Amino acid sequence: MISVNGDRGSAPILEAPAGSALTDLQTFTLQNAGSAAVRFQFSRSPANVAPGNIWVPYTATMTPAQVAASMQSSINGANMNVTTQLVTPAGAGYGRVVVNGRGLTFTTASPVVDMITQRPGRVFQIPIEENMTADQIGLAVERVVNT
């Protein structure tokens, strides 16, 4: 796995579990540097979501890709000034959400994990800046892959 870092820091890569691995009231939290933390809560019903938490709907029959899509939708709806990308290759059996925000931190009280911190040794960080050319990005990737 390759983690791309820019001036906003490292982007957590959140791996979603299947819906059958979740239970109501489990949470994960995202926080941008200098902003209040936002807690996301898995629940089958919005009526069960604690005040102040953001609802992440799920059912026990959802695949990891479907849970990841639900997570992405809830994160995007929270007005956190972050960008997200859904990573759910067809037939891969997993679902991931890449979340990018300035100084973003992630904590969890659920089966959701940050692939960067949970898979050490399989993650390579590549420093990339927005103004880099395709050739410069290629060289940056090559330097990391060849180390």
Side-chain angles (χ1 to χ4, degrees):
M1 175 177 302
I2 295 175
S3 168
V4 178
N5 286 320
D7 68 340
R8 300 182 94 184
S10 179
I13 302 170
L14 308 182
E15 183 159 14
S20 60
L22 294 169
T23 59
D24 279 2
L25 309 181
Q26 289 178 317
T27 63
F28 66 92
T29 303
L30 293 169
Q31 182 174 11
N32 274 326
S35 298
V38 178
R39 181 176 292 139
F40 297 86
Q41 182 177 329
F42 291 102
S43 180
R44 294 180 179 143
S45 166
N48 297 331
V49 177
N53 290 355
I54 305 294
W55 181 37
V56 182
Y58 81 99
T59 65
T61 60
M62 289 173 81
T63 66
Q66 291 169 323
V67 172
S70 183
M71 290 168 52
Q72 181 192 34
S73 178
S74 295
I75 293 167
N76 288 344
N79 298 317
M80 290 189 61
N81 194 28
V82 298
T83 58
T84 62
Q85 180 179 354
L86 190 61
V87 181
T88 57
Y94 63 83
R96 297 178 181 144
V97 181
V98 180
V99 186
N100 194 11
R102 188 163 305 280
L104 194 66
T105 58
F106 165 78
T107 55
T108 187
S110 74
V112 175
V113 297
D114 178 359
M115 296 294 294
I116 291 174
T117 60
Q118 296 298 315
R119 308 279 191 222
R122 291 179 42 196
V123 175
F124 303 93
Q125 296 195 2
I126 301 171
I128 302 289
E129 295 298 332
E130 294 83 14
N131 61 350
M132 291 175 84
T133 66
D135 288 340
Q136 291 170 318
I137 292 170
L139 287 172
V141 170
E142 184 178 339
R143 279 192 296 272
V144 170
V145 170
N146 290 331
T147 57

